[in-house]
Amino acid sequence: MRQRRPKVPDVPLLMTPGPTQVRENVRIIRAFEMTNPDQDLKFFKFYRKTCLKLAAFLNTEAQVLILSGEGMVALDAACASLTESGDRVLILDNGIFGEGFADMVKVYGAEPVVFKGDRTRGISAENLREFLEKDSDFKFATIVHCDTPSGVLNDLKEICPLLKSYGILTVVDAVSSMVGEPILTDDWNIDICIGASQKGFSAPPGLAFLSISPDAWTVIKGRKTPIPSFYCNLLLWKNYYEDLWFPYTPPISDIYAFKTALDNVLKEDDASKRHRKIAKAVRKAVIRSGLSLYLKSDYCSTVTAINVPEGLDGEEIVQKMKAEHSILIGGNFGYLKGKVIRLGHMGENARLEYVSETLKALQLTLESEGVSLRADMESVFLEEMAKKKR
Amino acid sequence: MRQRRPKVPDVPLLMTPGPTQVRENVRIIRAFEMTNPDQDLKFFKFYRKTCLKLAAFLNTEAQVLILSGEGMVALDAACASLTESGDRVLILDNGIFGEGFADMVKVYGAEPVVFKGDRTRGISAENLREFLEKDSDFKFATIVHCDTPSGVLNDLKEICPLLKSYGILTVVDAVSSMVGEPILTDDWNIDICIGASQKGFSAPPGLAFLSISPDAWTVIKGRKTPIPSFYCNLLLWKNYYEDLWFPYTPPISDIYAFKTALDNVLKEDDASKRHRKIAKAVRKAVIRSGLSLYLKSDYCSTVTAINVPEGLDGEEIVQKMKAEHSILIGGNFGYLKGKVIRLGHMGENARLEYVSETLKALQLTLESEGVSLRADMESVFLEEMAKKKR
């Protein structure tokens, strides 16, 4: 039968904090013919090897699993598999996603206790220590590494070992930070570390993954009540390789593509260095132009949140960038909607050409809205990038 | 930077009952650049249009949703969203997947009551009626349209209206039958009809979808207790289009690919006719050769389950087909493991060339194992296919 080539969609330059641009070699492998992943023994090996490679990247000897679904499915799987009714869970909250974890654990009958941090900087380990001295009876704590709406980066290296010293497991949402920031899962005592395909790895959305420490497995296996979920039940995965049995048909081409994306990252000397350099130069450009950053400190290298100048609406700036420059930057939501816009320089977005094009377009857009800027953001950015020492 | 083309994987001809072969135009669209589906308003329209197109294909005016995850995620979402603790749920069981629903609803605190049918034929509506006359106090019933391990087809046209007449909602797993068999969702009173991308639609695995009738929505919205799941909470989707908000980032390229796969199916006059003709010819070939079918009646057109001749092991036949002919057919599991092998002629697998090649290879494989067959399966199949009238 005649097969018509599908129409190529008209796609803006993605400069959002995920999904990110996908490199050609990752996209191409998704077009290949596939085997049946449930029945082809080779695929079990491939799946396991990819998980082990990801574990090595995350600096952990813990088991890593790749799930079929968006990042949220791994957050849900962690909460469903750990929580039993009545458990007290500590919610570290200095951002919209941090706060959101309270609703996720409540679903499974937990009593969330919120530790609130300043939303314009990282969680203070000192304040957390004081808090824990009074109350530390928690089964686990949830922490967002980079809370995307503001881009605040929490210091896992301080926070997770502190929690561990009180016997509290940690569930870390590292979806938005991974690749752009180093993650030393085992050294930092992270029990469950969660990521997704469409952020720093620059693969298409559709995969979530998580590492599960021996301590976390002990708790999951030692539950008194069964895990109240089917799709999000991590126990079903425990022996997939020994039993040659997946709980459901894995999305084979997505996993092949992810492996290619992971290899792209691994071929670089240190992808987080590239992110750090870009992020610093972006912040310099923003400040020198007279715009201001939303955060006071603790910037994640994957996203920059910029305060919208008085009298303007952030969502309109986003729409204008798209309409006039075909560049999609991040708007915002919750209490930041309209007030803070975001440049997502994570994964493949974090390239000099893309970022400079975006800053140039942002400058033109703001100026057309009557904002007078004190410096040319693109030039400042390029000057900073040209500097050898960082 | 230099981008190496990824290595083309060595792929056998897929003749399994899902995942199926994926047509080139579906694979190609997955290689395109993508937009950000959370922020690009066009994608909300595209998503909705694709859901409406799928609804039309399923002959329903009910809302259809496409979820990120394997088929199981939709089964789980239906069970999690409908069930409240203590609900009695009727499990229609005449196969391995039918039986499996009992475990899925138990997760959410339901009391499953199993109605057992003969596993070698469809559920008897007459027996079910007798059963319901004595006990019909069920919130919903679960039914598998085609129970893949045996390929038995249940008569939804009889069963679902019968259950509806007792006020019982129906959750139908039509993952393996869709495209290969007609489904008249509204006419047959199906409340939740569930499918997946990797079976008859011949798209890659990674998407699940379901239709949700107004009656089902009423029950979901009228729950006394919150839905005990986050990722599988259908309520989060209720107003995605009005609110321009998805509960998570949708897998954009998978949904584009699925839309192309759906268009492939819609361009055919009636894909189920093609499946029926192929399936009848396969059964004829099997019987004339002296082999026997596992089922006594009610064959689904998407898969044929063949009894393994005495003294042979089904799993070995599958491995030999793969090693010597590079064709992957279906083995089996549960009580059918080793005893019943399966030809999956669903979606793109259901083409004359592929099926005849598979029958030829199966004949050679069985003969090499010492089985003497009474007829040449490929010839019988081709003769049947050549007949004008069916």
Side-chain angles (χ1 to χ4, degrees):
Chain A
M1 61 238 79
R2 199 161 68 92
Q3 298 191 2
R4 230 173 292 166
R5 221 189 113 107
K7 197 173 145 257
V8 177
D10 172 30
V11 171
L13 180 71
L14 285 196
M15 290 302 287
T16 47
T20 49
Q21 298 173 52
V22 180
R23 210 193 276 186
E24 193 181 20
N25 65 350
V26 176
R27 291 188 279 107
I28 283 176
I29 198 164
R30 307 182 86 232
F32 288 174
E33 285 187 71
M34 302 150 230
T35 187
N36 181 324
D38 295 317
Q39 297 203 17
D40 199 330
L41 298 183
K42 271 196 300 190
F43 183 75
F44 283 90
K45 282 194 187 149
F46 176 82
Y47 177 90
R48 183 161 170 270
K49 258 177 74 179
T50 306
C51 291
L52 288 171
K53 202 174 238 195
L54 179 55
F57 177 74
L58 294 174
N59 301 293
T60 182
E61 290 182 10
Q63 185 173 20
V64 163
L65 296 172
I66 302 172
L67 310 179
S68 174
E70 201 263 354
M72 286 280 184
V73 81
L75 300 180
D76 203 15
C79 293
S81 300
L82 283 176
T83 314
E84 293 191 78
S85 188
D87 282 342
R88 295 181 83 232
V89 177
L90 182 62
I91 310 292
L92 301 196
D93 162 21
N94 62 331
I96 294 176
F97 288 170
E99 178 183 61
F101 258 124
D103 292 328
M104 295 192 77
V105 302
K106 256 191 250 172
V107 162
Y108 300 107
E111 181 200 324
V113 174
V114 177
F115 172 86
K116 263 206 178 307
D118 180 342
R119 293 202 160 189
T120 62
R121 60 179 84 237
I123 296 271
S124 152
E126 211 30 59
N127 292 354
L128 179 61
R129 190 185 307 272
E130 282 167 29
F131 177 92
L132 291 169
E133 274 166 20
K134 287 170 218 145
D135 185 4
S136 63
D137 180 23
F138 302 104
K139 188 181 208 171
F140 65 97
T142 66
I143 313 142
V144 180
H145 193 196
C146 166
D147 208 304
T148 339
S150 69
V152 67
L153 185 73
N154 285 313
D155 187 356
L156 302 177
K157 189 182 172 183
E158 291 290 317
I159 295 169
C160 296
L162 171 61
L163 289 159
K164 194 67 145 192
S165 73
Y166 282 91
I168 303 167
L169 295 177
T170 47
V171 172
V172 172
D173 170 354
V175 170
S176 277
S177 59
M178 230 176 247
V179 181
E181 294 285 345
I183 298 181
L184 300 173
T185 307
D186 288 354
D187 282 0
W188 297 350
N189 282 308
I190 304 173
D191 288 296
I192 296 194
C193 187
I194 295 160
S197 51
Q198 79 271 24
K199 303 276 186 176
F201 287 109
S202 282
L207 294 181
F209 34 80
L210 71 182
S211 68
I212 307 154
S213 73
D215 284 357
W217 273 129
T218 302
V219 168
I220 293 171
K221 288 194 280 184
R223 292 173 63 106
K224 292 186 198 94
T225 54
I227 291 172
S229 175
F230 190 87
Y231 199 77
C232 296
N233 181 342
L234 291 175
L235 267 184
L236 296 182
W237 288 87
K238 192 72 188 87
N239 300 311
Y240 78 89
Y241 189 67
E242 293 74 14
D243 302 345
L244 295 176
W245 184 83
F246 290 116
Y248 49 74
T249 302
I252 182 160
S253 50
D254 297 278
I255 296 172
Y256 272 104
F258 177 70
K259 192 258 182 190
T260 300
L262 179 56
D263 283 340
N264 285 342
V265 169
L266 292 171
K267 265 174 214 150
E268 255 183 281
D269 184 31
D270 180 353
S272 72
K273 264 192 200 163
R274 166 169 55 90
H275 284 78
R276 194 157 54 248
K277 184 167 181 176
I278 293 248
K280 272 180 120 171
V282 167
R283 291 198 296 272
K284 192 92 168 201
V286 168
I287 291 166
R288 289 266 299 277
S289 78
L291 295 170
S292 62
L293 300 168
Y294 173 73
L295 293 175
K296 299 208 179 92
S297 63
D298 306 305
Y299 311 96
C300 182
S301 296
T302 57
V303 52
T304 298
I306 305 168
N307 289 317
V308 174
E310 278 281 319
L312 295 189
D313 177 65
E315 304 309 305
E316 277 170 30
I317 294 169
V318 170
Q319 289 312 317
K320 204 164 177 182
M321 286 283 286
K322 180 162 172 265
E324 292 177 12
H325 301 280
S326 196
I327 297 176
L328 199 55
I329 62 169
N332 228 314
F333 44 91
Y335 65 95
L336 297 174
K337 190 180 171 80
K339 293 176 190 159
V340 170
I341 55 174
R342 295 175 295 163
L343 304 189
H345 34 77
M346 57 175 70
E348 288 299 310
N349 300 8
R351 302 281 173 199
L352 185 135
E353 321 85 272
Y354 301 142
V355 175
S356 60
E357 195 184 330
T358 305
L359 288 172
K360 186 180 178 178
L362 182 60
Q363 180 113 10
L364 290 171
T365 303
L366 290 172
E367 286 176 345
S368 76
E369 293 287 321
V371 178
S372 73
L373 295 172
R374 290 205 299 260
D376 181 72
M377 287 196 282
E378 188 191 15
S379 309
V380 177
F381 172 75
L382 290 174
E383 276 161 33
E384 287 299 309
M385 290 298 288
K387 288 182 186 166
K388 279 261 166 66
K389 276 205 177 159
R390 305 272 334 152
Chain B
M1 65 238 74
R2 201 160 68 92
Q3 299 191 0
R4 230 172 293 167
R5 223 190 109 105
K7 199 174 144 254
V8 177
D10 172 31
V11 172
L13 180 71
L14 286 196
M15 291 301 287
T16 46
T20 50
Q21 297 173 52
V22 180
R23 210 195 276 185
E24 195 182 17
N25 64 352
V26 176
R27 290 188 279 107
I28 283 176
I29 198 164
R30 307 183 87 233
F32 288 175
E33 284 187 70
M34 301 151 230
T35 188
N36 181 323
D38 294 318
Q39 299 204 18
D40 199 332
L41 299 181
K42 272 196 301 191
F43 183 75
F44 283 89
K45 283 195 184 149
F46 176 82
Y47 177 89
R48 184 162 169 268
K49 260 177 72 179
T50 307
C51 290
L52 288 171
K53 201 173 238 193
L54 179 55
F57 176 74
L58 295 174
N59 301 292
T60 182
E61 290 182 9
Q63 185 172 20
V64 164
L65 295 173
I66 303 172
L67 309 180
S68 175
E70 203 261 355
M72 285 283 183
V73 81
L75 301 179
D76 202 16
C79 293
S81 300
L82 283 175
T83 313
E84 293 191 77
S85 186
D87 283 341
R88 295 182 82 231
V89 176
L90 182 62
I91 309 292
L92 301 196
D93 162 20
N94 62 331
I96 294 175
F97 288 169
E99 178 182 61
F101 258 123
D103 291 327
M104 293 191 79
V105 301
K106 255 191 253 171
V107 163
Y108 301 107
E111 181 201 324
V113 174
V114 177
F115 172 86
K116 264 210 178 304
D118 180 342
R119 295 203 157 186
T120 62
R121 60 180 83 237
I123 297 272
S124 154
E126 211 29 57
N127 292 356
L128 179 60
R129 190 186 306 274
E130 282 168 29
F131 177 91
L132 291 170
E133 274 166 21
K134 287 171 219 145
D135 185 4
S136 63
D137 180 23
F138 301 104
K139 187 182 209 172
F140 65 96
T142 65
I143 313 143
V144 180
H145 193 197
C146 166
D147 209 304
T148 337
S150 69
V152 67
L153 186 72
N154 284 313
D155 188 356
L156 302 177
K157 190 182 171 183
E158 292 289 319
I159 294 168
C160 297
L162 171 60
L163 289 159
K164 194 66 147 189
S165 73
Y166 282 92
I168 303 167
L169 295 177
T170 47
V171 172
V172 172
D173 171 356
V175 170
S176 277
S177 58
M178 232 176 246
V179 181
E181 293 284 345
I183 299 182
L184 301 172
T185 307
D186 287 354
D187 282 1
W188 296 350
N189 281 310
I190 303 173
D191 287 298
I192 295 193
C193 186
I194 294 160
S197 51
Q198 79 271 26
K199 302 276 183 172
F201 287 109
S202 282
L207 294 181
F209 34 81
L210 72 180
S211 68
I212 307 154
S213 73
D215 284 358
W217 273 128
T218 303
V219 168
I220 293 171
K221 287 194 282 182
R223 294 173 61 105
K224 291 185 198 96
T225 53
I227 291 171
S229 176
F230 190 86
Y231 200 76
C232 295
N233 181 343
L234 292 175
L235 268 183
L236 296 183
W237 288 86
K238 191 72 188 85
N239 300 310
Y240 77 88
Y241 189 67
E242 293 75 14
D243 302 344
L244 296 176
W245 185 82
F246 290 114
Y248 49 73
T249 301
I252 183 158
S253 50
D254 297 278
I255 296 174
Y256 272 103
F258 176 69
K259 192 260 183 187
T260 300
L262 179 56
D263 283 340
N264 285 343
V265 169
L266 291 170
K267 264 173 213 150
E268 257 184 280
D269 185 31
D270 180 354
S272 73
K273 265 192 198 164
R274 165 169 56 92
H275 284 78
R276 193 156 56 249
K277 185 168 180 172
I278 293 249
K280 273 180 114 171
V282 167
R283 292 198 296 271
K284 193 90 168 205
V286 168
I287 291 165
R288 288 268 296 281
S289 77
L291 294 170
S292 62
L293 300 168
Y294 173 74
L295 294 175
K296 299 208 178 92
S297 63
D298 307 303
Y299 310 98
C300 183
S301 295
T302 57
V303 51
T304 297
I306 305 167
N307 289 318
V308 174
E310 279 279 320
L312 295 190
D313 177 64
E315 304 309 306
E316 277 172 29
I317 295 168
V318 170
Q319 289 312 319
K320 203 163 179 186
M321 285 284 285
K322 180 161 172 267
E324 291 178 11
H325 302 278
S326 194
I327 297 176
L328 198 55
I329 63 169
N332 228 316
F333 45 93
Y335 63 95
L336 298 174
K337 191 179 169 83
K339 294 177 188 155
V340 171
I341 55 173
R342 295 175 296 162
L343 304 188
H345 34 76
M346 56 174 72
E348 288 298 312
N349 300 9
R351 304 280 173 198
L352 186 135
E353 321 83 274
Y354 301 143
V355 176
S356 61
E357 194 184 329
T358 305
L359 288 171
K360 187 179 177 177
L362 182 59
Q363 181 114 10
L364 290 171
T365 304
L366 290 172
E367 285 175 347
S368 76
E369 293 287 321
V371 179
S372 73
L373 294 172
R374 290 205 299 260
D376 181 71
M377 287 196 281
E378 186 191 17
S379 309
V380 176
F381 172 75
L382 290 173
E383 275 162 33
E384 286 300 309
M385 290 299 287
K387 287 182 188 168
K388 278 263 164 63
K389 278 205 179 159
R390 306 271 334 150

